[in-house]
Amino acid sequence: MVQPRKHFAQHWLKSEKALNAIVKAADCQGNDRILEIGPGTGILTRRLLPLVDSLLAVEIDRDLCKLLVKELGKRENFLLLQGDFLTLDVGSQLREFTKFQNQNKVVANIPYNITGPIIEKLLGTIAKPNLKPYDSIVLLIQKEVAQRLYAKPGSKTFGALSVRVQYLADCELICTVPAGAFYPPPKVDSAVVRLSPKQIEIPANDPKKLENWVKLGFGSKRKMLRNNLQSVIDRDQLTQLLEKLDINPQVRAEDLSVQQWVSLTNEVTVSR
């Protein structure tokens, strides 16, 4: 058996309960085309393959790739790409593999140290959303990060990541997964979340402005929003805009909902 490598932040999932929860959350259909990032030893891959039309796996570890090819390489609905998902141009790699193009779902146990960049590549950003969004994205990630993804305004865990992700997708907790469900056990607990990319009901007039304001607004969570944003808008003007939107002028960044963030930046665009 290939041993987990610290360099790649590898922890093998061994919990049947967690695996069942992931597969159930993915709600696989016979015509689904799955993208799996970091299949590892293939424990989740084997569960998914009989349920879907095709599964594209991207694995960075060459030794694991050899193992996966040996054990799953003859499956007609399985294709493995060796490389770093964050830098790999998946589309160009699939030009001759039409069966594996246009994946509509993502199901993965991803490395915790690059969770943010992976989610950004899958969803896009506020300024540049993914133009071909997935139907759903089911991920096993660090519990603390998961809490930030589905956090509600006003909670301690609601932050810039919450706004950026919730602007693009609905987020829900599927289940928590204890550290003991892995080999070797990580130092933190984990959670399964499902992101469902959505049509933005009231989009930002200036997505880049919204993205920048969110970053600045959460720059110092203890300060009021008008103090964090004073480099981009006059404090008195912001106070007036907040009052116009029936928002407390002494509000902090984490107290604004995603829609209030959009309304605020849209109001600035209109007022100018």
Side-chain angles (χ1 to χ4, degrees), residues 240-258:
Q240 292 174 0
L241 291 175
L242 290 170
E243 291 177 342
K244 183 177 180 180
L245 295 170
D246 292 324
I247 299 172
N248 186 339
Q250 297 184 348
V251 70
R252 289 181 171 80
E254 65 266 26
D255 296 320
L256 291 183
S257 68
V258 175

Side-chain angles (χ1 to χ4, degrees), residues 99-120:
K99 184 178 180 66
F100 298 90
Q101 296 172 358
N102 303 314
Q103 309 94 35
N104 66 308
K105 290 182 180 179
V106 180
V107 188
N109 170 16
I110 60 177
Y112 294 174
N113 58 336
I114 52 173
T115 298
I118 287 177
I119 290 176
E120 184 172 308

Side-chain angles (χ1 to χ4, degrees), residues 15 68 94 167 200 229:
S15 166
L68 291 166
L94 300 179
Y167 179 80
I200 302 168
L229 294 181

Side-chain angles (χ1 to χ4, degrees), residues 110-257:
I110 60 177
Y112 294 174
N113 58 336
I114 52 173
T115 298
I118 287 177
I119 290 176
E120 184 172 308
K121 185 168 183 178
L122 295 174
L123 286 178
T125 64
I126 291 175
K128 293 184 178 180
N130 186 347
L131 297 179
K132 294 182 179 181
Y134 298 96
D135 294 338
S136 69
I137 301 170
V138 177
L139 301 175
L140 176 56
I141 60 177
Q142 184 176 334
K143 181 180 177 182
E144 182 181 347
V145 177
Q147 290 172 331
R148 290 162 60 195
L149 292 181
Y150 62 80
K152 301 297 183 183
S155 66
K156 292 182 180 180
T157 50
F158 190 79
L161 178 65
S162 312
V163 177
R164 292 197 300 266
V165 171
Q166 291 177 25
Y167 179 80
L168 299 168
D170 292 322
C171 312
E172 59 182 311
L173 170 69
I174 301 301
C175 67
T176 56
V177 182
F182 299 85
Y183 170 77
K187 296 180 180 179
V188 296
D189 288 336
S190 305
V192 179
V193 294
R194 179 167 54 206
L195 309 179
S196 302
K198 62 184 179 182
Q199 184 72 33
I200 302 168
E201 295 182 9
I202 304 177
N205 294 337
D206 187 342
K208 287 186 178 180
K209 181 187 290 293
L210 174 59
E211 204 166 62
N212 186 46
W213 278 37
V214 168
K215 180 180 179 180
L216 292 172
F218 285 94
S220 180
K221 293 192 69 173
R222 292 187 177 184
K223 291 184 179 181
M224 287 184 286
L225 188 63
R226 62 191 185 191
N227 291 328
N228 282 340
L229 294 181
Q230 59 184 341
S231 64
V232 291
I233 184 172
D234 179 77
R235 287 179 51 170
D236 292 338
Q237 182 188 2
L238 180 58
T239 297
Q240 292 174 0
L241 291 175
L242 290 170
E243 291 177 342
K244 183 177 180 180
L245 295 170
D246 292 324
I247 299 172
N248 186 339
Q250 297 184 348
V251 70
R252 289 181 171 80
E254 65 266 26
D255 296 320
L256 291 183
S257 68

